[in-house]
């Protein structure tokens, strides 16, 4: 996603993208007499004129116009201190969300060029800061894929709480939003190094997910990251959670 419009490098023979200084971009706020309505995301400049009701004067997101305030897309801090282009310290998942915003602007609006600053130098080449951002995005994609795989193997339980009966967790063939041909049993699922857990539905038959060729027929019940709920039968599809 370093590339220009549509996320791909410029085609051979096409004119080079325009380079903006921050001062130049600041003149594209959509105000009367301004040169247009532009904003930048991670140094890539887009014409958002067709969205002037949102980005133009008086619009809900007018503070994005004429600058690169990419950090605010994920921080939600729309104060002067938050409307900045510094993404240092953002988590991989936050950077992945920011990359998704960049993809949105590439799809919905017209790419106009690059902003000279943290992410592109005066020749339009990517800086180390942009390369570092891309690496963080890649890490975010990896973590997202791992999380999706975990949720497929260990779907979340259904849960409820009433003042008279307390809490209950249970499993069904659609719990956790994962449709499957098994329901499973509730277990506490821990992540290495963390004390918190979540309730996961665990398959009770067939080989372990990480050993598909195994002759074992206990599903994922023996996974070391799992723990039974106290007072609940090991093969029950529903467990009471007493108040603590």
């Amino acid at each position: 996603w370093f590339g220009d419009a549509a996320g791909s490098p410029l085609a051979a023979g096409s004119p080079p993208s325009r380079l903006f200084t921050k001062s130049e971009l600041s003149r594209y706020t959509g105000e009367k007499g301004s040169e247009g309505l532009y904003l930048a995301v991670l140094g890539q400049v887009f014409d958002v004129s067709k969205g002037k009701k949102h980005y133009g004067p008086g619009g809900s997101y007018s503070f994005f116009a004429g600058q690169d305030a990419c950090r605010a897309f994920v921080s939600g801090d729309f104060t002067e201190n938050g409307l900045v282009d510094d993404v240092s310290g953002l988590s991989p998942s936050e950077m992945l969300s920011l990359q998704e915003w960049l993809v949105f602007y590439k799809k919905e609006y017209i790419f106009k060029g690059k902003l000279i600053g943290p992410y592109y130098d005066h020749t339009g080449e990517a800086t180390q800061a942009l390369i570092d951002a891309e690496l963080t995005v890649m890490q975010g994609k990896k973590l997202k894929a791992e999380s999706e795989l975990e949720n497929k193997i260990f779907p979340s339980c259904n849960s409820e709480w009433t003042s008279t009966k307390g809490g209950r967790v249970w499993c069904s063939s659609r719990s956790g939003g994962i449709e499957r041909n098994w329901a499973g049993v509730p277990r506490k699922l821990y992540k290495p190094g963390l004390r918190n857990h979540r309730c996961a539905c665990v398959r009770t038959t067939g080989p372990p997910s990480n050993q598909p060729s195994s002759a074992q027929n206990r599903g994922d019940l023996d996974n070391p990251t799992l723990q039974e709920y106290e007072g609940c039968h090991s093969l029950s599809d529903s467990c009471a959670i007493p108040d603590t």
Side-chain angles (χ1 to χ4, degrees):
W1 51 286
F2 289 160
D4 296 318
S8 299
L10 288 173
S14 62
S17 59
R18 175 179 172 181
L19 296 178
F20 293 81
T21 65
K22 289 188 176 183
S23 176
E24 288 172 333
L25 183 61
S26 70
R27 299 199 290 265
Y28 289 80
T29 60
E31 299 280 356
K32 185 176 181 180
S34 71
E35 298 185 31
L37 183 56
Y38 293 1
L39 62 74
V41 181
L42 285 170
Q44 297 196 33
V45 180
F46 300 92
D47 183 340
V48 293
S49 297
K50 75 173 186 178
K52 62 182 179 180
K53 70 177 181 180
H54 303 298
Y55 302 106
S60 301
Y61 301 108
S62 60
F63 41 72
F64 283 122
Q67 64 174 329
D68 187 341
C70 54
R71 188 182 187 93
F73 279 97
V74 291
S75 72
D77 182 355
F78 303 134
T79 66
E80 184 177 351
N81 291 334
L83 292 167
V84 295
D85 57 10
D86 179 10
V87 297
S88 60
L90 292 182
S91 69
S93 62
E94 289 173 324
M95 285 301 299
L96 184 57
S97 294
L98 183 55
Q99 188 251 1
E100 290 169 352
W101 274 110
L102 182 56
V103 170
F104 165 77
Y105 282 101
K106 287 182 176 182
K107 179 180 178 181
E108 298 295 329
Y109 295 99
I110 300 172
F111 173 79
K112 300 301 290 188
K114 300 173 183 176
L115 179 63
I116 299 171
Y119 305 111
Y120 293 99
D121 64 22
H122 68 283
T123 68
E125 293 297 314
T127 64
Q128 186 61 48
L130 187 59
I131 294 170
D132 291 342
E134 168 70 1
L135 292 174
T136 306
V137 168
M138 291 174 64
Q139 185 180 2
K141 289 181 177 180
K142 179 182 178 183
L143 292 173
K144 182 180 179 180
E146 290 174 351
S147 177
E148 290 175 346
L149 177 60
E150 178 189 279
N151 288 336
K152 185 176 180 180
I153 296 174
F154 298 120
S156 295
C157 307
N158 299 310
S159 63
E160 66 178 1
W161 183 88
T162 65
S163 59
T164 55
K165 297 182 180 180
R168 180 173 77 98
V169 291
W170 75 99
C171 295
S172 68
S173 60
R174 300 181 66 179
S175 54
I178 306 294
E179 293 195 27
R180 52 197 188 273
N181 59 5
W182 53 273
V185 296
R187 290 290 189 273
K188 297 177 183 179
L189 174 64
Y190 290 87
K191 290 191 175 182
L194 299 179
R195 297 181 62 182
N196 295 333
H197 68 271
R198 71 173 178 88
C199 182
C201 293
V202 180
R203 188 167 47 83
T204 61
T205 60
S209 295
N210 59 356
Q211 299 177 40
S213 61
S214 171
Q216 297 181 51
N217 191 34
R218 284 178 49 82
D220 291 306
L221 289 174
D222 298 321
N223 190 293
T225 63
L226 300 172
Q227 187 178 108
E228 293 184 14
Y229 282 92
E230 294 181 10
C232 185
H233 189 280
S234 61
L235 294 180
S236 174
D237 62 8
S238 176
C239 294
I241 310 296
D243 291 333
T244 56

